[in-house]
Amino acid sequence: MELTVQMPDDVAQRLSAAGGDSSRRALEALVAEEFKQGHLTKPDLRRLLGCETSDQIDSFLKAHDVWIDYTVEDLERERAGLRRLGF
């Protein structure tokens, strides 16, 4: 799917003057917000953004002020998994 965004020329020029690829910035803003809303998963982000590692996804989310809900139950589940692996 291809999306087209229409905006006044003066606004487009200001955004272009800010630097970077406006299309990429629009995509990143969209997927960051959709991830926050729970409409996209990390695997979705990986495909949409072309990221190869989880670290890249985590860096992207941090750069866009998106924080993952991490509960005590999540911590306990990970600790139990590590104990099973001998850590």
Side-chain angles (χ1 to χ4, degrees):
M1 170 191 259
E2 186 172 316
L3 297 175
T4 302
V5 177
Q6 294 185 12
M7 65 180 72
D9 289 338
D10 64 313
V11 174
Q13 287 174 348
R14 279 186 280 147
L15 292 176
S16 293
D21 178 0
S22 296
S23 295
R24 179 65 183 198
R25 289 179 23 224
L27 173 64
E28 289 181 0
L30 174 66
V31 300
E33 184 59 32
E34 292 302 315
F35 183 82
K36 280 183 194 179
Q37 298 298 319
H39 302 144
L40 295 175
T41 64
K42 280 188 173 185
D44 293 330
L45 294 182
R46 184 175 284 184
R47 288 177 51 213
L48 289 164
L49 299 172
C51 296
E52 296 180 10
T53 67
S54 293
D55 286 342
Q56 289 173 316
I57 294 296
D58 291 341
S59 294
F60 167 81
L61 293 172
K62 183 178 178 183
H64 288 82
D65 293 324
V66 179
W67 306 102
I68 306 294
D69 290 331
Y70 192 78
T71 65
V72 172
E73 291 80 18
D74 295 328
L75 173 64
E76 292 303 325
R77 187 174 44 257
E78 288 187 9
R79 287 178 63 200
L82 289 171
R83 277 194 295 274
R84 281 193 301 276
L85 294 172
F87 291 99

